[in-house]
């Protein structure tokens, strides 16, 4: 089994920054991709950013320039640096990993437990 543990959410004022972290552990042979999604109240979960095994990144168009995704392969950890936060960034943020385990033959999706980010004056 694989476990994902998120941290770093909280309450901030508009214009401030936060950094989210998500660490994976367990039955991991290789991590194909890591990413972040978010879900605001009453809305569908949406992609925030993804980073692939070779370091390629993809962002939701409206977030590029304010959000930065990065990874530490030695720690199986993905980060999301969020700058100049706006009230519309308020949501539960989920990390997502595509992992090939030693016990599986194909990669599987894994999700973190979610961390609340609230941007309010």
């Amino acid at each position: 089994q694989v476990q994902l543990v998120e941290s770093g959410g909280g309450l901030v004022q508009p214009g401030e920054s936060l950094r989210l972290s998500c660490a994976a552990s367990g039955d991991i042979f290789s991590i194909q991709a890591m990413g972040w999604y978010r879900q605001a109240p009453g809305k569908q979960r949406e992609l925030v950013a993804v980073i692939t095994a070779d370091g390629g990144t993809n962002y939701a168009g409206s977030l590029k320039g304010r959000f930065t995704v990065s990874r530490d392969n030695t720690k199986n950890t993905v980060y999301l640096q969020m700058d100049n936060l706006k009230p519309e960034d308020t949501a539960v943020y989920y990390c997502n990993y595509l992992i090939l385990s030693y016990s599986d033959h194909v990669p599987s999706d894994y999700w973190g437990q979610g961390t609340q980010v609230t941007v309010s004056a």
Side-chain angles (χ1 to χ4, degrees):
Q1 283 292 340
V2 173
Q3 297 80 39
L4 302 184
V5 178
E6 297 185 35
S7 61
L11 171 64
V12 297
Q13 295 187 349
E16 294 186 337
S17 298
L18 274 178
R19 189 174 85 150
L20 306 182
S21 301
C22 179
S25 62
D27 182 11
I28 299 172
F29 174 70
S30 68
I31 299 174
Q32 312 295 303
M34 305 155 141
W36 292 93
Y37 290 73
R38 69 184 184 183
Q39 188 166 18
K43 295 187 177 181
Q44 290 188 335
R45 191 173 297 188
E46 63 177 1
L47 171 72
V48 174
V50 173
I51 183 165
T52 61
D54 62 1
T57 58
N58 185 37
Y59 294 89
S62 61
L63 301 178
K64 194 171 185 178
R66 294 194 298 120
F67 288 17
T68 304
V69 63
S70 60
R71 61 190 289 170
D72 184 338
N73 292 332
T74 65
K75 298 179 180 180
N76 290 339
T77 298
V78 63
Y79 304 96
L80 183 67
Q81 177 67 39
M82 304 183 291
D83 298 319
N84 189 22
L85 283 161
K86 303 177 180 181
E88 52 264 41
D89 295 318
T90 295
V92 178
Y93 285 70
Y94 298 91
C95 61
N96 171 260
Y97 281 56
L98 184 61
I99 292 174
L100 179 61
S101 300
Y102 286 99
S103 57
D104 291 335
H105 299 289
V106 294
S108 297
D109 262 331
Y110 294 89
W111 291 90
Q113 79 277 15
T115 186
Q116 177 70 45
V117 172
T118 302
V119 185
S120 176

